[in-house]
Amino acid sequence: MANIRRMQNASANAGAVDISDTFTFTSGTLWGHGYNSHGQLGQGNTTHSSSMVQIGSYSDWIAVDEQKYAWLGIRGDSTGGTLWGAGEAIVLGNGSATNKSSPTQIGASLGTWVKCSAGVSHGGGVTSEGNLYMWGLRSYGVLGDGASSGNVWNPVQIGANGGWLNVFCGGQSTFAISATGGLWAWGRNNGGQLGDGTTTDRSSPVQIGADGDGWDYISTSSVIFSKGCTLGRRKNSGDAYGTLWGWGYGSGGAIGSGGNRSSPSQIGSNSNWTQSFSVSNGGGAPSSQGCIGGSLYSWGANGGLWGDGTSGSASGTPTQIGSRTDWTQAHGVSGYNISGAISGGRLFRWGYNYGGRLPNASGTTFPSGWSSSPVQVGSNANWTRFHSGYNGGVGILTSGVA
């Protein structure tokens, strides 16, 4: 851990954690839909719902993230807040091995939370002091605490105090960004998804590149049954947009053209990528979505996930989807081939509607099987965030009902 401590000490004077790229600054209510086998819909039961339901009665949610059977979210304001979650116990880190079917607070004594990320079987968060905490199942070293077996039911600090800006949890890999713009990774690396030039699993953080590389956002696949892949954005300080990079398992072109690679490689030459992009391994071959300015792009394996009304094609070149120019978020997920995006505050979903994993709402009823083009969910135009999960999704509304 010597390298980690050196990195953090060097950035100890960086000041308070910058959370301007995390929160909506307009808090709202939390909504979800889909399978509820672990209580992740927060209704106090395990009853599935193909319609949107409000999770709890709070109206101050500012961030949320979901993977498979649980979600993590933050309630507060632009300075951060308290960390909460519901669903599978191993992802929640609240000291209990019992699943929670209502929103449950996490790490109340650790300070003000500014970042959170839910993995398939682990979770992580960053406090306003820049401290990084992890919890969950240690498989492949995914917690970064030097171990690769056993369960951790409470948040454990990774590295020394201060210096962390963000954390991103995937299926069995984890990434974190330091205050100096450096990227660190640990966990499973069978497809080169950590980006350190190897396919060796890491149980402690290893730096990818160097400090000052300008990394500010990462999306790593949530798949746990095949090789993983990762997307990341780099930008100069003060810039609104940046360049997009990919690495890991390259089948289908989800990390750009050129096949597998174990180190970051730029995808195209465009420098106008927003912080909204995601990679997913639906059906085995990965697919990606992202936004250049306000336009939505898809690439990689298709199978109906691109949102262009087709299926079966594959390409490593990002292709614009439709003509809208007000897309603000794109998020896909592996496992059951579902995607979601926000355009002008309106929520759109598409993909494979197995078992009601695409939501019904006022004026919207998804058929069984594939919907290969974006379909607006209801009529509310006040969505600020939405995260697709294996079995449904969760999102934040600033006003009204879903």
Side-chain angles (χ1 to χ4, degrees):
M1 297 297 288
N3 289 337
I4 260 305
R5 291 192 178 97
R6 182 173 68 248
M7 177 279 296
Q8 291 179 318
N9 290 338
S11 61
N13 295 323
V17 174
D18 176 11
I19 61 172
S20 59
D21 61 351
T22 302
F23 299 131
T24 64
F25 297 117
T26 304
S27 58
T29 52
L30 187 64
W31 296 76
H33 73 92
Y35 268 40
N36 193 31
S37 56
H38 292 66
Q40 59 263 43
L41 292 184
Q43 305 300 299
N45 56 46
T46 55
T47 302
H48 307 318
S49 177
S50 60
S51 299
M52 288 284 190
V53 293
Q54 186 172 349
I55 300 175
S57 58
Y58 303 117
S59 59
D60 58 351
W61 295 98
I62 50 178
V64 66
D65 189 33
E66 181 185 29
Q67 282 279 5
K68 192 173 184 180
Y69 296 127
W71 56 265
L72 298 173
I74 296 175
R75 295 176 49 215
D77 55 28
S78 60
T79 64
T82 54
L83 180 62
W84 298 72
E88 189 175 17
I90 196 66
V91 182
L92 300 184
N94 73 328
S96 171
T98 302
N99 299 338
K100 302 298 181 183
S101 60
S102 297
T104 300
Q105 190 169 0
I106 303 162
S109 65
L110 298 177
T112 300
W113 294 91
V114 296
K115 309 281 185 174
C116 65
S117 182
V120 171
S121 298
H122 71 296
V126 178
T127 66
S128 59
E129 293 79 16
N131 297 336
L132 171 63
Y133 295 90
M134 300 293 301
W135 55 89
L137 183 64
R138 282 187 171 127
S139 295
Y140 302 99
V142 72
L143 300 190
D145 64 349
S148 56
S149 63
N151 298 331
V152 176
W153 298 104
N154 289 291
V156 294
Q157 189 170 347
I158 306 301
N161 290 334
W164 295 106
L165 289 183
N166 212 339
V167 62
F168 306 89
C169 300
Q172 293 162 331
S173 305
T174 304
F175 294 82
I177 295 174
S178 72
T180 58
L183 179 63
W184 298 73
W186 56 94
R188 195 176 189 184
N189 197 26
N190 62 333
Q193 61 263 43
L194 297 187
D196 65 347
T198 77
T199 54
T200 302
D201 299 340
R202 306 288 185 178
S203 61
S204 296
V206 59
Q207 188 164 14
I208 311 303
D211 290 347
D213 280 348
W215 297 99
D216 78 328
Y217 197 81
I218 298 294
S219 174
T220 187
S221 58
S222 59
V223 69
I224 61 174
F225 49 81
S226 68
K227 297 178 180 179
C229 52
T230 305
L231 299 177
R233 190 180 80 153
R234 297 171 60 180
K235 72 180 187 70
N236 296 321
S237 178
D239 288 352
Y241 303 113
T243 54
L244 189 64
W245 300 67
W247 59 97
Y249 182 54
S251 175
I255 57 172
S257 301
N260 303 339
R261 48 185 175 270
S262 58
S263 298
S265 177
Q266 188 172 349
I267 299 175
S269 59
N270 199 295
S271 59
N272 292 316
W273 289 95
T274 72
Q275 203 184 59
S276 180
F277 53 86
S278 69
V279 61
S280 61
N281 283 58
S287 176
S288 298
Q289 289 85 34
C291 296
I292 298 177
S295 299
L296 179 65
Y297 286 76
S298 293
W299 63 102
N302 189 345
L305 274 178
W306 277 28
D308 64 348
T310 70
S311 63
S313 59
S315 173
T317 301
T319 299
Q320 186 171 352
I321 305 302
S323 59
R324 292 179 179 272
T325 58
D326 58 354
W327 295 101
T328 58
Q329 181 186 321
H331 192 266
V333 69
S334 63
Y336 288 105
N337 302 291
I338 53 177
S339 294
I342 295 175
S343 174
R346 299 176 297 274
L347 176 63
F348 291 79
R349 303 298 307 277
W350 64 95
Y352 187 51
N353 191 28
Y354 173 73
R357 285 173 172 85
L358 294 178
N360 297 323
S362 177
T364 305
T365 301
F366 281 92
S368 298
W370 282 98
S371 293
S372 58
S373 297
V375 176
Q376 186 173 343
V377 179
S379 58
N380 198 306
N382 296 298
W383 292 97
T384 59
R385 289 187 179 265
F386 193 88
H387 280 256
S388 300
Y390 266 64
N391 301 299
V394 293
I396 296 174
L397 270 176
T398 58
S399 64
V401 298

